[in-house]
Amino acid sequence: MRIMIVNGPNLNLTGTREPRIYGSDSLGAINSELKEEFVGISFEFFQTNSEGALIDKIQSLEGSGFDGAILNAGALSHYSYSLRDAIAAVSKPVVEVHLSQVFAREEFRRKSVISDACKGTITGFGKYSYFAAVYALTRLLTK
Ligand code: DQA
């Protein structure tokens, strides 16, 4: 099983940015924990602050050896129709994740324009949102 873990704008600052909201673990630490937890899975970890690079990465899923992706698109989740269309264009499942409970935050965060193109959404469990997403996706794919 090969899974991409894809993070968008500002997620490189996880651990130091608003730790009360996003937690105090760095993205690197979260990625290491995922590797330790899911030893049988081959991961690729990717982070970018650029919308275009994020779209290119999602597009690259098609025809790749990857079985699917876990995506935290950051604020792009709330307004990027281009990213939503890229997710819809690929046949591999993409799971939307958020560290914070976006439904309990500002109004603009309560809407995601990518959710309908994603297999599912996990939000509000801090770093464990990623763990839950990997668990759910791999169980779904091996069923
Ligand atoms: C986020 C939530 C978004 O609203 C925000 O813009 C982020 C992080 C989260 O993981 O909770 O950058 O995706």
Side-chain angles (χ1 to χ4, degrees):
M1 183 83 59
R2 296 181 70 195
I3 303 286
M4 273 186 201
I5 307 287
V6 180
N7 282 281
N10 300 309
L11 273 305
N12 56 313
L13 301 179
T14 304
T16 54
R17 152 173 100 131
E18 300 181 88
R20 270 186 338 106
I21 298 173
Y22 299 116
S24 51
D25 291 295
S26 70
L27 192 60
I30 295 170
N31 291 343
S32 296
E33 273 192 55
L34 284 170
K35 275 196 285 190
E36 279 165 30
E37 180 79 17
F38 299 100
V39 280
I41 297 173
S42 169
F43 288 108
E44 179 184 310
F45 299 101
F46 178 81
Q47 189 277 328
T48 179
N49 290 325
S50 148
E51 182 176 12
L54 202 58
I55 290 167
D56 288 343
K57 197 66 187 171
I58 294 300
Q59 285 186 9
S60 81
L61 271 173
E62 201 64 35
S64 74
F66 286 91
D67 298 293
I70 310 299
L71 171 65
N72 186 345
L76 291 172
S77 316
H78 310 303
Y79 66 87
S80 177
Y81 297 113
S82 315
L83 179 61
R84 183 245 169 242
D85 285 352
I87 298 165
V90 297
S91 58
K92 306 284 174 68
V94 174
V95 180
E96 175 184 7
V97 300
H98 299 283
L99 292 157
S100 64
Q101 169 52 299
V102 289
F103 296 108
R105 299 184 62 196
E106 300 96 322
E107 188 69 41
F108 77 90
R109 293 187 207 275
R110 296 183 199 164
K111 180 172 173 55
S112 165
V113 301
I114 67 168
S115 294
D116 75 302
C118 291
K119 188 73 192 167
T121 301
I122 300 176
T123 183
F125 293 94
K127 66 181 176 182
Y128 300 112
S129 291
Y130 293 90
F131 288 72
V134 172
Y135 178 80
L137 183 59
T138 54
R139 290 301 292 254
L140 202 68
L141 290 169
T142 49
K143 185 166 68 145

